[in-house]
Amino acid sequence: MSASRYAYLGPEGTFTEAALRSMPEAATRELVPMVSVPVALDAVRSGAAAAALVPIENSVEGGVTATLDELATGEPLMIYREVLLSISFALLVRPGTALADIKTVTGHPVAQPQVRNWLAANLPDALWESAASNADGARLVQEGRYDAAFAGEFAASRYGLEPLVTDIHDAQNAMTRFVLAGRPARPAARTGADKTSVVIWLGDDHPGALLELLQEFSARGVNLMRIESRPTGEGIGRYCFSVDCEGHITDRRVGSALMGLKRVCPKVRFLGSYPRAGVTAEDLAELRHGTSDEAFTEAAEWLARCQDGRA
């Protein structure tokens, strides 16, 4: 395995590369662009890279399905950290192009909903076609296949383009969340401001099946931060659920919830416990009564006393 190599969703000039370069350790790693999320994650599975940074969630469009599906299937991987990046687009064009000259535009499919209103107001007749990534869209403009691309302003110089318009976004404070995935090992150390990710499969489809899963978290005071259903490929109506919850697997309430899920579900895939980006333990509200590690310990000691006749 190349311990000094990090893969990422390329090509050069993507928001993923910008997020990766914001990590201090990136300065000492070889950063290798990959053509897709599955290829980036497979580089980790094969040992060609120690880790891969890929987008997993956008504040406008929600989950990045390619990443969610890839983490739920194939050889298991684990998330070791997350990175948040503010997203705003620039309209990149070849030098000399005016707004009136633009008939075709391109960008990543996730970008389109974030600039839809701007497009309708400023380029209502332009034809949109999707690209593999925003940076790949810039490359296609460089090659003359499209008139303009929505990408990060930082990508302009890499592809010999000019930012005709900058700071384009329909939603204020748009963010994309990226995760650094590696091969399974001991989770990152607990910080007190952590997140745990799992994928859960339902045993069978019956009334209240999803509620039963959610109650494993609720009964232990574990707050869910994200839950998304994804088809399993086994037929219509067959789904698994990608879940992020507050806390670390070593927190008694989280570990107990995961054990509860494992008892009632045919399959649970643990994707990791890792620090929450931009949050410290001091930022979090106090735990609900009865959900701290101390409360779990006291309850276990009480049960032991009952069993010994010492209650």
Side-chain angles (χ1 to χ4, degrees), residues 6 8 19 22 26 28 43 46 76 86 96 124 128 139 145-146 154 165 173 189 192 201 211 218 230 239 269 285:
Y6 278 5
Y8 68 92
S22 73
T28 61
S46 70
S86 296
W128 170 283
R139 179 185 62 80
R145 295 176 59 181
Y146 298 98
F154 48 80
V165 185
N173 304 316
W201 281 258
L211 177 60
S218 175
R230 295 296 305 152
Y239 291 90
R269 176 171 284 196

Side-chain angles (χ1 to χ4, degrees), residues 8 27 44 58 65 68 88 102-103 162 176 189 213 237 273 278:
Y8 68 92
V44 180
N58 177 267
T65 56
L68 296 177
S88 107
I102 297 174
K103 307 302 179 186
E162 294 179 348
T176 294
L213 303 186
S273 292

Side-chain angles (χ1 to χ4, degrees), residues 39 41 58 81 96-97 102 121 133 158 199 250 258 297 305:
V39 171
L41 294 177
N58 177 267
R81 67 175 297 175
T97 302
I102 297 174
S133 69
R158 295 183 186 231
V199 185
T250 59
L258 297 185
T297 299
R305 292 195 302 272

Side-chain angles (χ1 to χ4, degrees), residues 13-91:
T14 59
F15 286 109
T16 309
E17 182 190 10
L20 181 54
R21 291 189 180 278
S22 73
M23 296 167 45
E25 60 266 39
T28 61
R29 302 292 194 274
E30 178 188 0
L31 308 185
V32 184
M34 298 293 178
V35 297
S36 68
V37 167
V39 171
L41 294 177
D42 280 343
V44 180
R45 293 183 171 114
S46 70
L53 192 79
V54 291
I56 194 170
E57 182 182 7
N58 177 267
S59 62
V60 176
E61 278 294 278
V64 179
T65 56
T67 301
L68 296 177
D69 292 346
E70 190 66 22
L71 290 175
T73 59
E75 186 180 344
L77 295 172
M78 270 181 56
I79 298 170
Y80 289 94
R81 67 175 297 175
E82 65 177 9
V83 179
L84 299 179
L85 187 71
S86 296
I87 302 296
S88 107
F89 295 91
L91 188 68

